[in-house]
Amino acid sequence: MDRHGLICRSIQENPRITQREIAQKLSLSLGTVNHLIKECISLGYVTQGSDKICALTKAGKDFLEQFRVDGAVVLAAGFGSRFVPLTFEMPKGLLEVFGERMVERQIRQLHEAGITDITVVVGYLKEKFEYLIDKYQVKLLYNPEYSNKNTLATVYHARDLFKGRNVYLLSSDNWLRENMYHAWECGAWYSLAHTDGETSEWCVSFNKKGRITDVEVGGNDCWFMYGPVYFSREFSDGFFPVLEAYYEIPGTEQLYWEHVFMEILNGGWERRLKHAGIRLPQGWTEPAMYANCQPDDQVYEFENLEELRKFDPRYQTHSDNKAMELVSQVLKVKESEIHNIKCLKSGMTNKSFLFDVDGRSYICRIPGPGTELLINRKQEAAVYQAIAGLGITERVIYFDPENGYKIAKYYDGARNGNPHSPEDISKCMGLLRNFHQSGLQVEHPFDIRERIDFYEMLCKTHGNILFEDYREVHGRMVELMDWLDSLGRPKTLSHIDSNFDNFLMLPDGGVRLIDWEYAGMCDPLIDLAMCSIYSYYNIEETETLLEAYFQRKPEELERLIVYAYMALGGFLWSLWAVYKSALGEEFGEYTLIMYRYAKDFSRIVQKNLQKL
């Protein structure tokens, strides 16, 4: 950290500042400030007047220019899972604190310091940030890996904004009480907060000059990383060659950018790069970063909704969130009485969160984007009504047939079914068999032909279907559907989405089958097919499933019918995934696996039909 630069900056920002005030502002002793000012005077940067008040010379202003801040990069790509359900609707950085959005407060503070070259790195709900371009003239940079990689990758995608420049690196969800940004910064720094007890934060050691010498995750009575960061061009020169190397190394996908800095300090980077066969440019020097210690009430990184409630009382009663308002109304409690909110793993169709009220746990389901085209919620409500007497499903206490919002009691200690456990397979197939034999009916069918045509239309509406041999495979699907129709199979109420994640294994040995949004009248063997392809079963594993359901070896016709539905289900869900990807949701290899089921099992059925 250039101390002469800090002296010059203090005088430039406040020409009437005294040496005592400089000492207080920079957390230096008065004697140290007196000595530094004498050095600045001897260097021609400063002239001293009466009452220890100094003035900056032209040489001092020229000297200060090397420290001018060129811009800021604001990270805003992440989901913010600890703030569900608020972040289901709004990125965390756009949440308001005392009536002001967190990212807007930081942008305004940057503008007050004269910093207007601001780039916001976006990903999740990126469209929500678009208005900032017009309101504050910021730029947006999209991170295509926001959903499956951590901040190392985010900073990597923004790397060109740092090279050769002095740049703040900020998080959109920080809240700063006082403006801590400046037009000039005299060395790279990380904002630090102090804890008097044990912490799991990133704890920092630094020497007498403030240079950070070590970083460890977890510590006691220490300073820890908390809030804004500043990258000088000198720091970036040393830091980004290592970060770029890390980005290329497998296994670093979930690292924070701070992991790179920590391993630079502890030497771990040398082992990692040597193992990967990567060498840094000749003449590389270790980047220096300094501690910027802040008082307790200056920087806030809200970890969850509970912390935000304590800080901004408005969130205790009114969060402006549809799901929270619904829970409050249904359970007849204030929002402040909704606790322990946790994001459950988002499903492929819906999003859900777990919460507690009065010591009892519940799940709230929120339909995902585009779901209104895929799911008829009135039909789903009719299914829940039809099966209510069986006692095999979740304990639903609220269901809105218009929009699909659902609140259900949570089964403490329950787990999802294991598709590779013989005991779980036996129990789940027993429930499915008894359900099929119950004779329950609803008015609506699940027509796989109609669904395939509908999903194909959605895909074409949102862009071309991506499979090169789609027309040929579609023709095989039509042949399978014609054959199935010719059999005149009886139809019963079927679940359709009978994957093992939807079977709950209860602590008392019971089993429940949840999420009936696709259910309708259909050939019950479709449920066996769907269960198989959702579990990524091969033929042998599928055979085990069928034997558990039938409690005997399946007949050849039964087996071929299941295989036909496996092909059709794979085809259907591959189209579904293509459509969802057009809405911005990706499911990795799922699309390819489902399409492969369509091709492989249609060939198996057609080959064996020739033998019958």
Side-chain angles (χ1 to χ4, degrees), residues 38 45 68 127 177 261 303 345 356 393 413 423 425 467 491 507 533 592 606:
K38 288 179 181 178
Y45 300 155
R68 184 176 290 280
E127 296 81 6
R177 186 176 299 279
F261 179 57
E303 291 296 321
K345 183 179 180 181
D356 291 349
T393 186
E423 182 180 358
I425 293 172
F467 305 108
K491 292 180 172 54
I533 64 175
L592 298 176
Q606 289 174 337

Side-chain angles (χ1 to χ4, degrees), residues 475-525:
R476 298 214 299 265
M477 297 303 110
V478 172
E479 292 177 5
L480 288 181
M481 289 185 287
D482 290 344
W483 172 67
L484 289 170
D485 288 345
S486 72
L487 297 177
R489 295 266 307 163
K491 292 180 172 54
T492 65
L493 180 56
S494 303
H495 187 276
I496 309 301
D497 198 19
S498 50
N499 71 84
F500 278 95
D501 282 346
N502 283 334
F503 286 98
L504 295 184
M505 317 306 291
L506 307 186
D508 63 3
V511 185
R512 297 291 185 270
L513 181 55
I514 64 174
D515 290 348
W516 296 75
E517 54 196 355
Y518 292 99
M521 301 298 292
C522 193
D523 183 338
L525 294 189

Side-chain angles (χ1 to χ4, degrees), residues 4-17 22 25 45-46 54-58 60-62 64-65 68 182-184:
H4 297 138
L6 291 174
I7 296 295
C8 292
R9 184 187 74 183
S10 299
I11 296 170
Q12 178 68 10
E13 289 179 339
N14 181 8
R16 302 295 300 170
I17 196 169
I22 292 175
K25 184 176 182 179
Y45 300 155
V46 169
C54 303
L56 209 60
T57 65
K58 182 180 183 304
K61 293 178 181 179
D62 292 341
L64 196 57
E65 275 306 297
R68 184 176 290 280
H182 299 275
W184 304 271

